Amino acid sequence: MKIVIAGAGIGGMVAAEKLGKLGFEVTVYEQSPSLDEMRYDWHDDVNPKVFRRLGMEMPAESNKKKSWTFISPFGAVIREFRQDENNADYSVERRPLNRMLYNRACDVAKFVFGANVTAPIVRGNRVAGIVVNGEEVEADLVVDSLGVDSVLRKGLPHSMGITQYRPDEVFVAYRAFYEKNPDAPEPKYTNKVYLKHMGAPGISWAIQDHDPTLVNVLVGRIGALDEKTLAEALDDLRKHNPTIGDKVVRGGEICKIPVRYPATRMVANGYAAVGDSAYLTIPMLGSGIATSMLAGAMLAQSIGENMSHGVKGAELFKVGKLWRYQVRIFRDFGAEHCAVDVMKRSVLTMKNEVLDWLLGSDLLTNEEMGKLASGKIIKIGFGEAVRKIKVAGVNKLGRLISINNMLQKSYFAASGAKNIPRNYTDSITKTWEAHMMRFYKQTAKQKKALGH
Protein backbone atom coordinates (compact mmCIF):
# COMPACT_ATOMS: atom_id res chain seq x y z
CA MET A 1 0.00 0.00 0.00
CA LYS A 2 1.17 3.53 -0.79
CA ILE A 3 1.67 6.34 1.73
CA VAL A 4 2.65 9.87 0.72
CA ILE A 5 4.02 12.34 3.24
CA ALA A 6 3.62 15.99 2.29
CA GLY A 7 6.55 17.95 3.73
CA ALA A 8 9.84 16.73 5.18
CA GLY A 9 9.07 18.21 8.58
CA ILE A 10 10.38 16.67 11.78
CA GLY A 11 7.25 14.60 12.37
CA GLY A 12 6.97 13.69 8.71
CA MET A 13 10.47 12.24 8.55
CA VAL A 14 10.01 10.22 11.74
CA ALA A 15 6.74 8.88 10.32
CA ALA A 16 8.49 8.05 7.04
CA GLU A 17 11.07 5.88 8.80
CA LYS A 18 8.58 4.09 11.04
CA LEU A 19 5.96 3.51 8.33
CA GLY A 20 8.59 2.38 5.85
CA LYS A 21 9.78 -0.23 8.34
CA LEU A 22 6.20 -1.53 8.55
CA GLY A 23 6.48 -2.44 4.87
CA PHE A 24 4.54 0.40 3.22
CA GLU A 25 5.66 2.15 0.05
CA VAL A 26 6.46 5.60 1.43
CA THR A 27 7.29 8.75 -0.55
CA VAL A 28 8.08 12.11 1.03
CA TYR A 29 7.46 15.23 -1.07
CA GLU A 30 9.39 18.33 0.06
CA GLN A 31 9.25 21.78 -1.54
CA SER A 32 12.88 22.73 -0.74
CA PRO A 33 15.40 22.01 -3.52
CA SER A 34 17.51 19.82 -1.22
CA LEU A 35 17.85 18.64 2.35
CA ASP A 36 20.50 21.27 3.11
CA GLU A 37 18.32 24.07 1.74
CA MET A 38 15.32 23.43 3.97
CA ARG A 39 14.09 26.37 6.05
CA TYR A 40 14.86 27.21 9.66
CA ASP A 41 18.63 27.56 9.85
CA TRP A 42 18.63 27.77 13.62
CA HIS A 43 18.38 25.66 16.76
CA ASP A 44 15.45 24.85 19.05
CA ASP A 45 15.11 23.57 22.59
CA VAL A 46 14.50 19.85 23.05
CA ASN A 47 14.63 17.65 26.13
CA PRO A 48 16.96 14.65 25.62
CA LYS A 49 14.25 12.33 26.97
CA VAL A 50 12.44 12.35 23.63
CA PHE A 51 15.51 10.98 21.84
CA ARG A 52 15.94 8.25 24.43
CA ARG A 53 12.26 7.39 24.18
CA LEU A 54 12.50 6.96 20.41
CA GLY A 55 15.80 5.08 20.55
CA MET A 56 17.77 7.85 18.85
CA GLU A 57 21.02 9.64 19.55
CA MET A 58 20.98 13.41 19.91
CA PRO A 59 22.78 15.26 17.09
CA ALA A 60 26.39 15.91 18.06
CA GLU A 61 26.00 19.70 17.68
CA SER A 62 23.52 19.88 20.59
CA ASN A 63 24.35 21.98 23.67
CA LYS A 64 22.84 22.14 27.15
CA LYS A 65 20.65 25.19 27.72
CA LYS A 66 21.36 27.77 30.39
CA SER A 67 18.60 28.90 32.74
CA TRP A 68 15.90 31.27 31.48
CA THR A 69 15.32 34.78 32.80
CA PHE A 70 11.76 36.13 32.45
CA ILE A 71 11.16 39.87 32.14
CA SER A 72 7.82 41.63 32.69
CA PRO A 73 6.16 43.73 29.93
CA PHE A 74 8.08 46.98 30.40
CA GLY A 75 11.16 45.57 32.12
CA ALA A 76 10.22 46.42 35.69
CA VAL A 77 10.64 42.86 36.97
CA ILE A 78 13.32 40.28 36.20
CA ARG A 79 12.77 36.71 37.39
CA GLU A 80 15.28 33.89 36.94
CA PHE A 81 14.19 30.30 36.41
CA ARG A 82 16.88 27.91 37.65
CA GLN A 83 16.55 24.70 35.67
CA ASP A 84 17.30 21.24 36.97
CA GLU A 85 20.71 20.41 35.50
CA ASN A 86 19.82 16.70 35.42
CA ASN A 87 16.72 17.40 33.32
CA ALA A 88 17.84 20.37 31.24
CA ASP A 89 16.76 21.06 27.67
CA TYR A 90 19.37 21.11 24.91
CA SER A 91 19.68 23.48 21.97
CA VAL A 92 19.43 21.19 18.95
CA GLU A 93 20.49 22.48 15.54
CA ARG A 94 17.74 21.91 13.01
CA ARG A 95 19.89 21.04 9.99
CA PRO A 96 21.95 18.30 11.68
CA LEU A 97 18.68 16.96 13.12
CA ASN A 98 17.12 16.96 9.64
CA ARG A 99 20.15 15.10 8.31
CA MET A 100 19.96 12.50 11.07
CA LEU A 101 16.23 11.87 10.53
CA TYR A 102 16.70 11.72 6.76
CA ASN A 103 19.52 9.20 7.09
CA ARG A 104 17.32 7.02 9.29
CA ALA A 105 14.46 7.13 6.79
CA CYS A 106 16.07 7.17 3.33
CA ASP A 107 16.62 3.39 3.16
CA VAL A 108 12.90 2.67 3.66
CA ALA A 109 11.32 5.76 2.11
CA LYS A 110 11.77 7.74 -1.10
CA PHE A 111 12.40 11.51 -0.86
CA VAL A 112 11.46 13.87 -3.70
CA PHE A 113 12.80 17.42 -3.33
CA GLY A 114 11.61 20.43 -5.33
CA ALA A 115 8.08 19.07 -5.02
CA ASN A 116 5.37 21.72 -4.63
CA VAL A 117 2.28 20.22 -2.98
CA THR A 118 -0.73 22.41 -3.81
CA ALA A 119 -3.91 20.50 -2.95
CA PRO A 120 -5.42 17.26 -1.69
CA ILE A 121 -7.23 14.82 -3.93
CA VAL A 122 -10.62 14.02 -2.39
CA ARG A 123 -12.93 11.34 -3.72
CA GLY A 124 -16.22 10.90 -1.92
CA ASN A 125 -15.46 11.00 1.79
CA ARG A 126 -11.81 9.97 1.47
CA VAL A 127 -8.49 11.71 0.83
CA ALA A 128 -7.07 9.81 -2.13
CA GLY A 129 -3.77 11.59 -2.76
CA ILE A 130 -2.15 14.97 -3.40
CA VAL A 131 -1.42 17.31 -6.28
CA VAL A 132 2.36 17.72 -6.71
CA ASN A 133 3.90 20.07 -9.29
CA GLY A 134 0.56 20.09 -11.08
CA GLU A 135 0.22 16.31 -11.29
CA GLU A 136 -2.01 13.99 -9.27
CA VAL A 137 -0.28 11.46 -7.02
CA GLU A 138 -2.63 8.85 -5.61
CA ALA A 139 -2.14 7.25 -2.20
CA ASP A 140 -3.88 5.06 0.33
CA LEU A 141 -2.82 7.44 3.13
CA VAL A 142 -1.73 11.09 3.05
CA VAL A 143 0.35 12.28 6.02
CA ASP A 144 0.18 16.07 6.32
CA SER A 145 3.50 17.54 7.51
CA LEU A 146 3.17 20.91 5.74
CA GLY A 147 2.95 23.09 8.84
CA VAL A 148 0.42 25.45 10.34
CA ASP A 149 -0.75 26.84 6.98
CA SER A 150 -0.95 23.47 5.25
CA VAL A 151 -2.69 23.69 1.88
CA LEU A 152 -3.86 20.12 2.41
CA ARG A 153 -5.66 20.83 5.67
CA LYS A 154 -7.17 24.03 4.27
CA GLY A 155 -8.23 22.24 1.09
CA LEU A 156 -10.21 19.48 2.77
CA PRO A 157 -14.01 19.74 2.64
CA HIS A 158 -15.73 21.11 5.72
CA SER A 159 -17.65 17.84 6.08
CA MET A 160 -14.44 16.07 7.15
CA GLY A 161 -14.31 18.28 10.24
CA ILE A 162 -10.52 18.79 10.28
CA THR A 163 -9.70 21.56 12.78
CA GLN A 164 -8.75 24.99 11.43
CA TYR A 165 -7.17 27.71 13.56
CA ARG A 166 -8.28 31.22 14.57
CA PRO A 167 -5.98 34.24 13.98
CA ASP A 168 -5.31 34.55 17.72
CA GLU A 169 -4.03 30.96 17.85
CA VAL A 170 -0.83 31.51 15.87
CA PHE A 171 2.43 33.19 16.76
CA VAL A 172 4.07 35.26 13.99
CA ALA A 173 7.76 35.45 14.81
CA TYR A 174 10.94 37.02 13.43
CA ARG A 175 13.97 34.85 14.22
CA ALA A 176 17.57 35.85 13.55
CA PHE A 177 21.08 35.23 14.84
CA TYR A 178 22.98 38.51 14.99
CA GLU A 179 26.71 38.93 15.07
CA LYS A 180 27.69 39.75 18.64
CA ASN A 181 28.96 43.26 19.32
CA PRO A 182 32.49 42.62 20.69
CA ASP A 183 32.65 46.05 22.35
CA ALA A 184 29.59 45.50 24.53
CA PRO A 185 29.96 44.27 28.13
CA GLU A 186 29.02 40.67 28.87
CA PRO A 187 25.37 40.39 29.93
CA LYS A 188 24.36 39.52 33.47
CA TYR A 189 21.52 37.38 32.14
CA THR A 190 22.23 35.27 29.04
CA ASN A 191 18.77 33.85 28.21
CA LYS A 192 16.23 36.66 28.50
CA VAL A 193 12.56 36.19 27.61
CA TYR A 194 10.34 39.28 27.53
CA LEU A 195 6.73 38.40 28.38
CA LYS A 196 4.22 40.67 26.61
CA HIS A 197 7.20 42.64 25.34
CA MET A 198 6.43 46.37 25.37
CA GLY A 199 2.92 45.49 26.52
CA ALA A 200 2.02 43.65 23.31
CA PRO A 201 0.49 40.14 23.16
CA GLY A 202 3.46 37.89 22.53
CA ILE A 203 7.09 37.44 23.56
CA SER A 204 10.58 38.48 22.51
CA TRP A 205 13.95 37.13 23.53
CA ALA A 206 17.69 37.76 23.43
CA ILE A 207 19.75 34.63 24.07
CA GLN A 208 23.51 34.29 24.37
CA ASP A 209 24.32 30.76 25.42
CA HIS A 210 26.70 28.31 23.75
CA ASP A 211 27.98 30.33 20.75
CA PRO A 212 30.05 33.31 21.99
CA THR A 213 29.92 35.04 18.59
CA LEU A 214 26.13 35.21 18.10
CA VAL A 215 23.02 36.61 19.78
CA ASN A 216 19.81 34.65 19.18
CA VAL A 217 16.94 37.14 18.74
CA LEU A 218 13.22 36.54 18.45
CA VAL A 219 10.29 38.94 18.19
CA GLY A 220 6.90 37.26 18.15
CA ARG A 221 3.34 38.52 18.34
CA ILE A 222 -0.01 36.77 18.41
CA GLY A 223 -1.86 36.95 15.10
CA ALA A 224 0.35 39.37 13.15
CA LEU A 225 3.71 41.13 13.15
CA ASP A 226 3.94 44.32 11.08
CA GLU A 227 7.17 46.10 10.10
CA LYS A 228 6.66 48.98 12.55
CA THR A 229 6.11 46.65 15.52
CA LEU A 230 9.16 44.57 14.55
CA ALA A 231 11.40 47.63 14.18
CA GLU A 232 10.30 49.07 17.55
CA ALA A 233 10.78 45.73 19.29
CA LEU A 234 14.28 45.28 17.82
CA ASP A 235 15.22 48.80 18.91
CA ASP A 236 14.04 48.06 22.44
CA LEU A 237 15.92 44.75 22.55
CA ARG A 238 19.12 46.47 21.41
CA LYS A 239 18.65 49.17 24.03
CA HIS A 240 18.64 46.56 26.80
CA ASN A 241 20.98 44.10 25.06
CA PRO A 242 23.89 46.07 23.52
CA THR A 243 25.58 42.80 22.55
CA ILE A 244 23.16 42.56 19.59
CA GLY A 245 25.16 43.66 16.56
CA ASP A 246 23.93 44.94 13.17
CA LYS A 247 24.71 41.93 10.97
CA VAL A 248 22.35 38.96 10.61
CA VAL A 249 24.46 35.82 10.33
CA ARG A 250 21.72 33.18 10.27
CA GLY A 251 17.95 33.19 9.94
CA GLY A 252 16.31 36.57 9.52
CA GLU A 253 13.00 34.96 8.58
CA ILE A 254 9.43 35.52 9.69
CA CYS A 255 7.57 32.30 10.39
CA LYS A 256 4.19 31.30 11.73
CA ILE A 257 3.84 28.88 14.65
CA PRO A 258 0.66 27.43 16.20
CA VAL A 259 0.25 28.28 19.90
CA ARG A 260 -3.02 26.54 20.67
CA TYR A 261 -4.32 23.24 21.93
CA PRO A 262 -3.96 20.25 19.57
CA ALA A 263 -6.43 19.81 16.74
CA THR A 264 -9.55 18.05 17.96
CA ARG A 265 -9.78 16.51 14.47
CA MET A 266 -6.41 15.61 12.99
CA VAL A 267 -7.51 12.48 11.11
CA ALA A 268 -10.01 11.65 8.35
CA ASN A 269 -10.45 8.81 5.90
CA GLY A 270 -7.04 8.51 4.21
CA TYR A 271 -5.56 11.51 6.07
CA ALA A 272 -3.52 12.20 9.20
CA ALA A 273 -1.77 15.40 10.31
CA VAL A 274 1.47 15.53 12.29
CA GLY A 275 3.51 18.34 13.84
CA ASP A 276 2.45 21.94 13.23
CA SER A 277 -0.25 20.76 10.82
CA ALA A 278 -2.00 19.28 13.87
CA TYR A 279 -1.03 22.19 16.20
CA LEU A 280 1.21 20.05 18.41
CA THR A 281 3.55 22.78 19.66
CA ILE A 282 3.68 23.82 23.32
CA PRO A 283 1.16 26.70 23.47
CA MET A 284 3.26 28.93 25.75
CA LEU A 285 6.54 29.15 23.77
CA GLY A 286 5.74 27.35 20.52
CA SER A 287 8.41 24.66 20.84
CA GLY A 288 7.43 21.65 18.76
CA ILE A 289 10.36 19.40 17.83
CA ALA A 290 9.82 16.85 20.61
CA THR A 291 6.07 16.62 20.09
CA SER A 292 6.44 16.38 16.31
CA MET A 293 8.89 13.50 16.67
CA LEU A 294 6.56 11.73 19.08
CA ALA A 295 3.58 12.27 16.78
CA GLY A 296 5.35 10.71 13.79
CA ALA A 297 6.22 7.66 15.89
CA MET A 298 2.74 7.44 17.42
CA LEU A 299 1.07 7.48 14.01
CA ALA A 300 3.16 4.53 12.83
CA GLN A 301 2.71 2.74 16.15
CA SER A 302 -1.07 3.06 15.94
CA ILE A 303 -1.17 1.76 12.38
CA GLY A 304 1.16 -1.09 13.34
CA GLU A 305 -1.08 -2.06 16.25
CA ASN A 306 -4.11 -2.13 13.98
CA MET A 307 -2.18 -4.39 11.60
CA SER A 308 -1.32 -6.74 14.45
CA HIS A 309 -5.04 -6.95 15.26
CA GLY A 310 -5.76 -8.20 11.75
CA VAL A 311 -6.86 -4.94 10.12
CA LYS A 312 -5.93 -4.98 6.44
CA GLY A 313 -6.13 -3.00 3.23
CA ALA A 314 -8.12 0.22 2.96
CA GLU A 315 -9.66 -0.41 6.38
CA LEU A 316 -6.28 0.51 7.96
CA PHE A 317 -6.64 4.12 6.90
CA LYS A 318 -10.27 4.77 7.73
CA VAL A 319 -10.91 7.53 10.26
CA GLY A 320 -12.12 5.07 12.89
CA LYS A 321 -8.79 3.22 12.79
CA LEU A 322 -6.59 6.32 12.54
CA TRP A 323 -8.45 7.72 15.55
CA ARG A 324 -6.27 5.49 17.73
CA TYR A 325 -3.37 7.83 16.84
CA GLN A 326 -5.25 10.94 17.95
CA VAL A 327 -6.30 9.31 21.22
CA ARG A 328 -2.66 8.47 21.91
CA ILE A 329 -1.65 12.10 21.28
CA PHE A 330 -4.20 13.54 23.69
CA ARG A 331 -3.52 11.04 26.44
CA ASP A 332 0.26 11.33 26.16
CA PHE A 333 0.93 15.09 25.98
CA GLY A 334 -2.09 16.74 24.34
CA ALA A 335 -4.06 17.12 27.58
CA GLU A 336 -1.20 19.07 29.15
CA HIS A 337 -1.06 21.33 26.11
CA CYS A 338 -4.78 22.02 26.53
CA ALA A 339 -4.16 23.14 30.12
CA VAL A 340 -1.20 25.32 29.13
CA ASP A 341 -3.25 26.96 26.37
CA VAL A 342 -5.76 28.10 29.01
CA MET A 343 -2.92 29.60 31.05
CA LYS A 344 -1.33 31.21 27.98
CA ARG A 345 -4.55 32.97 26.99
CA SER A 346 -4.93 34.23 30.54
CA VAL A 347 -1.36 35.60 30.63
CA LEU A 348 -1.78 37.36 27.26
CA THR A 349 -4.91 39.17 28.46
CA MET A 350 -3.57 39.87 31.96
CA LYS A 351 -3.05 43.49 32.90
CA ASN A 352 0.62 44.46 32.79
CA GLU A 353 0.70 45.51 36.43
CA VAL A 354 -0.74 42.14 37.46
CA LEU A 355 1.93 40.31 35.46
CA ASP A 356 4.58 42.53 37.09
CA TRP A 357 3.23 41.57 40.50
CA LEU A 358 3.03 37.89 39.63
CA LEU A 359 6.64 37.73 38.44
CA GLY A 360 8.01 40.04 41.12
CA SER A 361 6.51 38.24 44.10
CA ASP A 362 7.38 34.83 45.48
CA LEU A 363 3.96 33.59 44.42
CA LEU A 364 5.28 31.33 41.63
CA THR A 365 7.85 28.78 42.71
CA ASN A 366 10.85 27.92 40.53
CA GLU A 367 9.23 24.56 39.73
CA GLU A 368 6.00 26.26 38.64
CA MET A 369 7.91 28.66 36.38
CA GLY A 370 9.57 25.69 34.72
CA LYS A 371 6.28 23.88 34.21
CA LEU A 372 4.67 26.94 32.70
CA ALA A 373 7.48 27.30 30.15
CA SER A 374 7.74 23.61 29.27
CA GLY A 375 4.06 22.84 28.79
CA LYS A 376 3.27 21.09 32.06
CA ILE A 377 0.21 21.41 34.27
CA ILE A 378 0.65 23.43 37.47
CA LYS A 379 -0.90 21.65 40.45
CA ILE A 380 -1.05 23.32 43.86
CA GLY A 381 -1.33 21.35 47.08
CA PHE A 382 -2.96 22.61 50.29
CA GLY A 383 0.31 23.67 51.92
CA GLU A 384 1.44 25.60 48.86
CA ALA A 385 -1.99 27.25 48.58
CA VAL A 386 -1.67 28.50 52.18
CA ARG A 387 1.79 29.88 51.41
CA LYS A 388 0.49 31.71 48.33
CA ILE A 389 -2.31 33.31 50.36
CA LYS A 390 0.27 34.60 52.83
CA VAL A 391 2.45 35.94 50.02
CA ALA A 392 -0.47 37.66 48.28
CA GLY A 393 -1.86 39.26 51.42
CA VAL A 394 -5.39 40.51 51.98
CA ASN A 395 -5.09 43.41 49.53
CA LYS A 396 -4.19 41.09 46.63
CA LEU A 397 -6.59 38.28 47.46
CA GLY A 398 -8.81 39.15 44.50
CA ARG A 399 -5.90 38.67 42.11
CA LEU A 400 -5.05 35.37 43.74
CA ILE A 401 -8.63 34.15 43.36
CA SER A 402 -8.56 35.10 39.67
CA ILE A 403 -5.31 33.16 39.16
CA ASN A 404 -6.74 30.19 41.05
CA ASN A 405 -9.83 30.24 38.81
CA MET A 406 -7.54 30.17 35.79
CA LEU A 407 -5.66 27.17 37.18
CA GLN A 408 -8.92 25.38 37.92
CA LYS A 409 -10.07 26.00 34.35
CA SER A 410 -6.77 24.58 33.09
CA TYR A 411 -7.29 21.41 35.17
CA PHE A 412 -10.77 20.97 33.71
CA ALA A 413 -9.44 21.49 30.17
CA ALA A 414 -6.82 18.78 30.69
CA SER A 415 -9.41 16.44 32.19
CA GLY A 416 -11.75 17.04 29.26
CA ALA A 417 -8.94 16.38 26.79
CA LYS A 418 -8.09 13.07 28.45
CA ASN A 419 -11.72 12.07 28.11
CA ILE A 420 -11.35 11.94 24.34
CA PRO A 421 -13.65 9.15 23.07
CA ARG A 422 -11.72 5.90 22.89
CA ASN A 423 -13.62 4.85 19.77
CA TYR A 424 -14.61 7.13 16.92
CA THR A 425 -18.16 7.98 15.97
CA ASP A 426 -18.99 11.30 14.36
CA SER A 427 -21.71 12.30 16.84
CA ILE A 428 -19.76 11.44 20.00
CA THR A 429 -16.64 13.11 18.66
CA LYS A 430 -18.56 16.30 17.86
CA THR A 431 -19.90 16.37 21.42
CA TRP A 432 -16.38 16.05 22.82
CA GLU A 433 -15.09 18.75 20.45
CA ALA A 434 -17.84 21.15 21.51
CA HIS A 435 -16.98 20.51 25.15
CA MET A 436 -13.30 21.32 24.51
CA MET A 437 -14.04 24.48 22.51
CA ARG A 438 -15.88 26.00 25.48
CA PHE A 439 -12.57 26.39 27.30
CA TYR A 440 -11.19 28.56 24.49
CA LYS A 441 -14.18 30.67 23.53
CA GLN A 442 -12.98 34.20 22.97
CA THR A 443 -14.65 36.86 25.10
CA ALA A 444 -15.06 40.51 24.11
CA LYS A 445 -12.42 41.40 26.74
CA GLN A 446 -9.93 38.97 25.21
CA LYS A 447 -10.57 40.24 21.69
CA LYS A 448 -9.87 43.80 22.85
CA ALA A 449 -6.69 42.78 24.69
CA LEU A 450 -5.39 40.95 21.60
CA GLY A 451 -6.17 43.90 19.33
CA HIS A 452 -9.01 42.24 17.37
Side-chain angles (χ1 to χ4, degrees), residues 335 338-339 377 410-420 432 435-436 439:
C338 290
I377 300 173
S410 74
Y411 302 155
F412 291 139
S415 178
K418 284 189 175 181
N419 283 330
I420 180 173
W432 172 73
H435 173 74
M436 290 304 302
F439 293 108

Side-chain angles (χ1 to χ4, degrees), residues 75-151:
V77 178
I78 297 175
R79 174 73 179 273
E80 285 189 271
F81 159 62
R82 301 173 303 280
Q83 68 178 353
D84 178 1
E85 288 299 312
N86 295 320
N87 190 35
D89 287 345
Y90 276 67
S91 290
V92 176
E93 290 284 351
R94 290 288 294 261
R95 289 190 170 172
L97 176 60
N98 287 342
R99 173 63 61 182
M100 183 188 80
L101 296 179
Y102 171 83
N103 288 340
R104 291 176 64 93
C106 63
D107 288 339
V108 293
K110 178 182 177 182
F111 283 76
V112 180
F113 290 96
N116 185 26
V117 178
T118 55
I121 301 170
V122 180
R123 296 199 178 101
N125 67 341
R126 183 178 77 86
V127 179
I130 58 177
V131 178
V132 185
N133 293 339
E135 297 183 1
E136 292 191 352
V137 176
E138 297 196 1
D140 299 290
L141 173 67
V142 171
V143 178
D144 186 350
S145 182
L146 288 178
V148 65
D149 279 328
S150 167
V151 294

Side-chain angles (χ1 to χ4, degrees), residues 70-316:
F70 294 96
I71 301 174
S72 64
F74 290 98
V77 178
I78 297 175
R79 174 73 179 273
E80 285 189 271
F81 159 62
R82 301 173 303 280
Q83 68 178 353
D84 178 1
E85 288 299 312
N86 295 320
N87 190 35
D89 287 345
Y90 276 67
S91 290
V92 176
E93 290 284 351
R94 290 288 294 261
R95 289 190 170 172
L97 176 60
N98 287 342
R99 173 63 61 182
M100 183 188 80
L101 296 179
Y102 171 83
N103 288 340
R104 291 176 64 93
C106 63
D107 288 339
V108 293
K110 178 182 177 182
F111 283 76
V112 180
F113 290 96
N116 185 26
V117 178
T118 55
I121 301 170
V122 180
R123 296 199 178 101
N125 67 341
R126 183 178 77 86
V127 179
I130 58 177
V131 178
V132 185
N133 293 339
E135 297 183 1
E136 292 191 352
V137 176
E138 297 196 1
D140 299 290
L141 173 67
V142 171
V143 178
D144 186 350
S145 182
L146 288 178
V148 65
D149 279 328
S150 167
V151 294
L152 296 183
R153 192 188 63 249
K154 290 181 176 181
L156 295 178
H158 181 73
S159 60
M160 287 187 171
I162 297 298
T163 310
Q164 307 296 334
Y165 69 80
R166 292 196 318 235
D168 65 305
E169 295 176 330
V170 293
F171 186 60
V172 182
Y174 168 81
R175 183 86 182 272
F177 288 76
Y178 283 84
E179 187 175 62
K180 186 176 179 180
N181 176 8
D183 299 324
E186 288 299 313
K188 180 179 179 181
Y189 305 105
T190 58
N191 287 21
K192 296 163 70 174
V193 178
Y194 296 77
L195 301 177
K196 293 186 69 179
H197 184 208
M198 303 177 71
I203 63 170
S204 298
W205 72 45
I207 298 175
Q208 300 164 75
D209 43 21
H210 62 273
D211 190 331
T213 67
L214 299 177
V215 184
N216 175 0
V217 172
L218 176 140
V219 175
R221 298 295 182 262
I222 296 295
L225 178 65
D226 58 50
E227 291 183 6
K228 181 174 181 290
T229 300
L230 174 59
E232 290 174 348
L234 288 173
D235 285 344
D236 189 74
L237 286 176
R238 282 197 173 92
K239 177 182 176 182
H240 296 98
N241 301 275
T243 51
I244 300 174
D246 295 325
K247 183 180 178 181
V248 174
V249 179
R250 297 169 58 191
E253 298 178 59
I254 291 180
C255 56
K256 191 182 288 185
I257 307 163
V259 281
R260 52 153 286 162
Y261 61 108
T264 51
R265 293 271 188 125
M266 58 184 76
V267 294
N269 290 323
Y271 172 90
V274 297
D276 286 10
S277 298
Y279 319 130
L280 299 183
T281 55
I282 298 172
M284 189 62 72
L285 294 177
S287 178
I289 286 183
T291 49
S292 293
M293 291 173 67
L294 289 174
M298 288 177 181
L299 176 60
Q301 183 181 358
S302 300
I303 292 171
E305 287 176 356
N306 285 329
M307 293 169 67
S308 68
H309 294 155
V311 182
K312 299 178 181 179
E315 189 71 20
L316 269 174

